[in-house]
Structures are given as structure tokens and as C-alpha cells.
């Protein structure tokens, strides 16, 4: 699997998937198979393939559905997480309707957790409002996006133990809305308050700099993003884009 991950990072997707498929076929148990299927989903994410990513994430969701009786809290949370992973790939692939469906499904699954805490409930509401704001911005509706930003802030305020960890995702949201609403200067300002170690944020910041005509700053961000060795939605978006921008 490490070799397959490295191949994806190098852009050798066909070779990577051949190895991942072997892991799926030879998995010693259902959880190992689901983990390999999730890796396959991310392999397709590196090519912005919303459909294939979703197909494999759905298989992982099906596995966690079999764990609802034994691991009720974790099973529903993981189902929601997998749906949201597919959504993140789809929104950045520009397949907005599919992304919206996945985000709504993720929230529905996550909220089914038995005895869900108020914090965890607020987290899922925050994530959905966050997603809906970004979708509205991508669709060119700033007013609707701003309304969902306010809903996200309200959900964040209701959190207690989870608030600190989720706080950094708010400037990412406002920066994203600003970027897709034509306010690159505001986007730069907000992204700089977010997690600057995240390759996804680094690429968004680079795009904002490009819109401001600050080419060298943009290239610096792309170089940082290209250095990622992760195999997740942020890396799947950042690595291919940075490679293209850096002409590698």
C-alpha cells in the first residue's frame, strides 16, 4: 500500500490501482478490504474522478453499516466521514450537485449515531453549513453563501470541547467564499488565518495570489503544496494541481 500511495503521488495512477486492487482481492478480513477500498477511492480522487471516488467510498460505507451493532458510535461517524470525503472530491472536481448529495448524506449518516452528543451534533451541522456555503459560492450566489457562513458560525459557537479544533476551518470557509466571489485580497487575508500546513489551503492561497498578480508568492505556495506526501482529499487536490502549475 505504501508503494501504491507513492505511485499516486507520482501521478502513476494505473500502476497504483493495480497494486491496490491486489490488496482488495487478498484482504484477510472485511476491515482490511474496506481500508483498501478507501485507498482506491483516494487514488481516483487524484484524478478528480467524482464518480469512481464515490463508488469506492460507498463500498466503505457499506462495510461500516455492518458494524452498527458492534460499534454504533464509530460506525455511523465513519459512514458520515466517508460520504464527506466523496463530497470533497466532487466539489473540487466541479461536480457540484453530486457534492451536495454526498454532503447531505454524510450529515444524515453522522446524525444517526445513537445518543449523539450535543457537540457531535453541532459538528455535523457545522460541516453541512460549511459545505453549503462553499457550494453557493461556486454557483455564484454570494448572498446565499454568506447566509450559510452565518449558520456555520452559529453551529461552531454551540460546540464546547470540539470548538478549538474546528475554529481553523472558519477562515478557510470565509476565504473560500471570498475567492469564488471575486475578492482575492479578502481570500488571502482569511487563508493566512487558517491551517497553512494544509496543502489544500496552500493551493487555494496560491490561486488567490494568482488573481492578485503575485506570481512568485503563488509559486511558493504551490511548491509547499507539492511537497505533501499525504494520500487524502487535500493531497489529491493539491498534488496534481501543483505539479501542473510548476510544470513538473
Amino acid at each position: 500500500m505504501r508503494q501504491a500511495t507513492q505511485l499516486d503521488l507520482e501521478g502513476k495512477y494505473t500502476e497504483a490501482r493495480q497494486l491496490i486492487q491486489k490488496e482488495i482481492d487478498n484482504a484477510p478480513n472485511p476491515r482490511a478490504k474496506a481500508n483498501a477500498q478507501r485507498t482506491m477511492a483516494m487514488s481516483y480522487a487524484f484524478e478528480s474522478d467524482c464518480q469512481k471516488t464515490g463508488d469506492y467510498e460507498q463500498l466503505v460505507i457499506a462495510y461500516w453499516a455492518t458494524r452498527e451493532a458492534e460499534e454504533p458510535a464509530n460506525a455511523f461517524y465513519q459512514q458520515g466521514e466517508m460520504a464527506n470525503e466523496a463530497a470533497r472530491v466532487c466539489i473540487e472536481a466541479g461536480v457540484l450537485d453530486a457534492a451536495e448529495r454526498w454532503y447531505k448524506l454524510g450529515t444524515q449518516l453522522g446524525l444517526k449515531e445513537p445518543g449523539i452528543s450535543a457537540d457531535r451534533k453541532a459538528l455535523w451541522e457545522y460541516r453541512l453549513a460549511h459545505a453549503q456555503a462553499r457550494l453557493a459560492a461556486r454557483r455564484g450566489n454570494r448572498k446565499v453563501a454568506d447566509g450559510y457562513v452565518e449558520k456555520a458560525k452559529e453551529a461552531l459557537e454551540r460546540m464546547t470541547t470540539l470548538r478549538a479544533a474546528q475554529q481553523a476551518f472558519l477562515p478557510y470557509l470565509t476565504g473560500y467564499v471570498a475567492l469564488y466571489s471575486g475578492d482575492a485580497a479578502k481570500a488571502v487575508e482569511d487563508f493566512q488565518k487558517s491551517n497553512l500546513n494544509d496543502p489544500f489551503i496552500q493551493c487555494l492561497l496560491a490561486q488567490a495570489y494568482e488573481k492578485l498578480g503575485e506570481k512568485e508568492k503563488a509559486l511558493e505556495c504551490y511548491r509547499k503544496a507539492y511537497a505533501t506526501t499525504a494520500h487524502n482529499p487535500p493531497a489529491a487536490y493539491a498534488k496534481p494541481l501543483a505539479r501542473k502549475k510548476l510544470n513538473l
Side-chain angles (χ1 to χ4, degrees), residues 158-246:
R158 293 201 304 275
M159 295 182 205
T160 53
T161 58
L162 294 177
R163 187 187 305 168
Q166 295 300 316
Q167 186 69 49
F169 293 103
L170 187 59
Y172 147 43
L173 170 59
T174 55
Y176 193 104
V177 170
L179 178 64
Y180 280 97
S181 299
D183 190 347
K186 171 66 172 170
V188 168
E189 179 184 346
D190 289 355
F191 289 143
Q192 288 176 334
K193 299 173 185 175
S194 189
N195 180 8
L196 292 175
N197 293 318
D198 184 330
F200 181 68
I201 299 298
Q202 290 163 353
C203 281
L204 292 177
L205 182 56
Q207 290 171 76
Y209 278 133
E210 284 177 327
K211 290 182 181 297
L212 293 173
E214 299 189 49
K215 183 178 179 180
E216 288 307 313
K217 288 184 178 180
L219 289 174
E220 180 183 356
C221 290
Y222 283 128
R223 290 187 193 102
K224 290 178 180 178
Y226 188 71
T228 185
T229 57
H231 197 259
N232 55 21
Y237 173 79
K239 192 80 173 186
L241 176 60
R243 180 184 293 113
K244 180 180 178 181
K245 293 289 185 175
L246 297 169

Side-chain angles (χ1 to χ4, degrees), residues 73-132:
N74 192 38
F76 287 108
Y77 183 79
Q78 292 297 333
Q79 289 178 65
E81 285 277 278
M82 297 307 102
N84 275 23
E85 277 193 351
R88 287 197 65 179
V89 173
C90 291
I91 189 173
E92 301 312 326
V95 190
L96 304 184
D97 289 348
E100 186 169 20
R101 289 193 298 271
W102 278 112
Y103 274 122
K104 288 180 177 178
L105 176 63
T107 302
Q108 291 167 6
L109 291 169
L111 289 174
K112 289 173 67 177
E113 177 186 332
I116 189 169
S117 68
D119 249 32
R120 188 70 72 87
K121 183 178 179 182
L123 173 63
W124 286 112
E125 292 171 355
Y126 177 60
R127 287 175 168 176
L128 182 57
H130 197 294
Q132 289 172 319

